[in-house]
Amino acid sequence: MSTDCIFCSIVAGDIPGRIVHEDGEITAFLDANPLAPGHTLVVPDEHTRRLNDLPDDTARELYEAVHALVPAIESAVDADATTVAVNNGEAAGQEVPHVHWHVVPRSADDGGGPIHGAFGDRPDLADDELDGIADRIRDAR
Ligand code: 5GP
Ligand code: ZN
């Protein structure tokens, strides 16, 4: 636990949170400043800054919880869909440095658009650049 982390404090019960799931490894609670009714954050109980730092088993447990919560959240707020996303690192907009999946209920007329809307111009990549990127990702695994 990190003493100055807001999500660690919610997991520990030191500050109030509207908890919707807890199993000793993973906790989910309503976002305090929701983008839509039912906006939920799903976090590992262990303080971990980024997805990259999660142990494999915790990563699996975290996604299992997301997987179970998505239909429950959609049903609870009668949503048509959800945007499920992680701001993974400060440069990607992560403000709270404790891994969290966002599950944001969506409807066709909510004006939110797809995640693609967060980006401006797209890079124009030649085939050989794309081949090189795919090779480097495969090699890095
Ligand atoms: P990030 O930008 O790091 O991906 O998202 C952080 C999220 O945490 C935001 O959606 C914000 O509303 C939420 N948040 C920040 N502080 C608190 C808090 O004290 N309690 C809860 N429940 N959510 C918080
Ligand atoms: Zn934390």
Side-chain angles (χ1 to χ4, degrees), residues 5-141:
C5 172
I6 197 87
F7 291 173
C8 281
S9 300
I10 292 173
V11 168
D14 293 339
I15 66 165
R18 291 189 173 85
I19 309 267
V20 300
H21 170 94
E22 54 189 337
D23 60 22
E25 301 288 341
I26 308 296
T27 300
F29 48 87
L30 295 188
D31 194 296
N33 188 18
L35 297 172
H39 182 172
T40 298
L41 303 173
V42 191
V43 311
D45 290 359
E46 190 80 31
H47 182 79
T48 313
R49 291 181 71 87
R50 294 187 54 177
L51 284 180
N52 316 36
D53 307 319
L54 281 175
D56 290 351
D57 55 346
T58 311
R60 276 191 283 274
E61 285 159 4
L62 185 57
Y63 190 73
E64 270 177 29
V66 170
H67 184 69
L69 282 160
V70 161
I73 293 165
E74 289 187 8
S75 153
V77 298
D78 197 21
D80 299 327
T82 33
T83 291
V84 181
V86 179
N87 294 321
N88 188 37
E90 227 175 299
Q94 183 178 2
E95 291 184 355
V96 178
H98 181 138
V99 171
H100 49 284
W101 282 87
H102 291 262
V103 181
V104 186
R106 301 294 309 271
S107 64
D109 60 357
D110 64 15
I115 286 177
H116 293 62
F119 293 81
D121 292 341
R122 297 183 192 192
D124 189 15
L125 298 167
D127 281 347
D128 60 339
E129 290 174 285
L130 292 166
D131 290 341
I133 292 166
D135 286 345
R136 290 200 297 281
I137 294 172
R138 273 193 299 272
D139 291 348
R141 280 191 44 92

